[in-house]
């Protein structure tokens, strides 16, 4: 699928492996020779992100400058001439919301990180952001109001992100689209019944959305994970 899609930049989340453990078929993907990997310190099989690019970035950084979060290998940022591309795997609040407080600290720190980038040049954030922002973004909003990914606090955190000059690209283009999900639990045939959540996003600086965004697609027919890929098209 990646070869057919032929992206200029491919962002991966929840890779669960460090650079040396990346499978050879991924390392050898044609057209994506510049590869960058982050993983959790001392926790094999946990978290992790990747960023693969057709052209070499001007600069690549890891983390957001906050030790509490950076030890988990959740962010890679690549600077290109026209924009920053951020691959991010946002922490899950956990079953029973046991990690809600660390998640809320993350939301605040990550927003400040994105604001600092945006002050330099436009930002394209690609990631599993572990939140369904609006009721339309999950199949069963009522029973899930207290569930990780749909708490008032997490939804408010996403609203603050949008209020800081960023745009949810899919909702900008498809404001009323229903059944547009990117994650389905493996239990109960959820994917076949499209009982899902929209947790994966392209979030852009407003000026980038206004000047360069062509489309934002959810590739729900692509198998291989409990999440599906998403694709953003930008004219830069």
């Amino acid at each position: 699928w990646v070869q057919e899609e032929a992206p200029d930049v491919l962002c991966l989340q929840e890779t669960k492996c460090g650079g040396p453990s990346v499978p050879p078929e991924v390392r050898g993907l044609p057209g994506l020779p510049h590869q960058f990997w982050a993983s959790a310190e001392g926790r094999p099989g946990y978290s992790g992100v990747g960023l693969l690019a057709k052209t070499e970035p001007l600069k690549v950084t890891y983390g957001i400058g906050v030790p509490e979060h950076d030890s988990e290998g959740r962010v890679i940022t690549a600077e290109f001439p026209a924009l920053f591309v951020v691959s991010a795997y946002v922490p899950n609040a956990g079953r029973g919301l046991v990690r809600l407080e660390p998640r809320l600290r993350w939301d605040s720190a990550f927003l400040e990180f994105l604001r600092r980038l945006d002050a330099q040049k436009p930002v394209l954030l690609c990631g599993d952001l572990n939140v369904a922002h609006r009721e339309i973004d999950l199949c069963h909003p009522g029973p899930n109001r207290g569930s990780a990914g749909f708490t008032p606090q997490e939804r408010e955190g996403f609203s603050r992100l949008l209020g800081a000059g960023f745009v949810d690209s899919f909702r900008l283009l498809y404001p009323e689209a229903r059944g547009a999900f990117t994650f389905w639990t493996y239990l109960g045939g959820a994917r076949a019944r499209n009982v899902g959540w929209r947790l994966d996003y392209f979030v852009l600086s407003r000026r980038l959305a206004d000047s360069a965004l062509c489309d934002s697609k959810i590739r729900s027919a692509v198998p291989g994970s409990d999440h599906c890929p998403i694709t953003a098209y930008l004219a830069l």
Side-chain angles (χ1 to χ4, degrees):
W1 179 82
V2 173
Q3 293 183 56
E4 290 175 0
E5 190 76 353
D8 294 307
V9 179
L10 174 67
C11 297
L12 303 172
Q13 293 86 38
E14 201 175 1
T15 54
K16 298 188 176 183
C17 68
S21 303
V22 173
E25 59 268 29
V26 176
R27 286 207 169 276
L29 277 171
L32 295 168
H34 306 285
Q35 302 190 7
F36 309 92
W37 306 95
S39 58
E41 297 173 8
R43 300 183 68 179
Y46 179 75
S47 188
V49 292
L51 189 149
L52 295 73
K54 182 180 293 185
T55 60
E56 186 173 7
L58 302 174
K59 182 181 180 182
V60 174
T61 59
Y62 299 85
I64 62 174
V66 179
E68 175 190 6
H69 307 301
D70 290 351
S71 64
E72 296 190 341
R74 294 186 176 276
V75 175
I76 297 176
T77 302
E79 180 181 358
F80 294 95
L83 78 169
F84 290 104
V85 177
V86 180
S87 177
Y89 175 41
V90 169
N92 192 306
R95 191 167 296 172
L97 304 181
V98 294
R99 283 177 52 86
L100 180 59
E101 287 305 318
R103 162 61 187 267
L104 299 181
R105 292 196 296 272
W106 160 279
D107 283 350
S108 295
F110 191 45
L111 176 54
E112 289 309 309
F113 171 75
L114 295 173
R115 279 174 160 159
R116 291 195 298 271
L117 293 180
D118 187 56
Q120 301 173 56
K121 63 175 64 173
V123 175
L124 171 65
L125 164 62
C126 170
D128 176 356
L129 304 190
N130 260 319
V131 62
H133 183 221
R134 296 166 48 197
E135 291 192 357
I136 198 175
D137 293 319
L138 71 166
C139 188
H140 296 307
N144 283 293
R145 293 196 186 282
S147 300
F150 198 59
T151 62
Q153 300 96 317
E154 291 166 299
R155 297 169 67 192
E156 183 181 337
F158 194 87
S159 293
R160 284 196 301 271
L161 174 62
L162 300 185
F166 297 94
V167 174
D168 174 353
S169 64
F170 183 81
R171 279 290 168 232
L172 176 68
L173 297 172
Y174 305 100
E176 302 303 325
R178 294 185 175 274
F181 306 135
T182 68
F183 164 81
W184 307 262
T185 176
Y186 285 124
L187 302 175
R191 188 160 187 172
R193 296 183 294 119
N194 199 29
V195 178
W197 300 55
R198 190 169 71 98
L199 301 178
D200 303 89
Y201 296 78
F202 284 105
V203 173
L204 296 79
S205 300
R206 166 60 73 175
R207 62 195 185 281
L208 190 63
D210 291 342
S211 65
L213 179 63
C214 299
D215 209 344
S216 184
K217 292 292 189 184
I218 293 175
R219 306 302 199 187
S220 56
V222 179
S225 171
D226 52 358
H227 292 251
C228 73
I230 58 175
T231 305
Y233 293 97
L234 304 179
L236 298 172

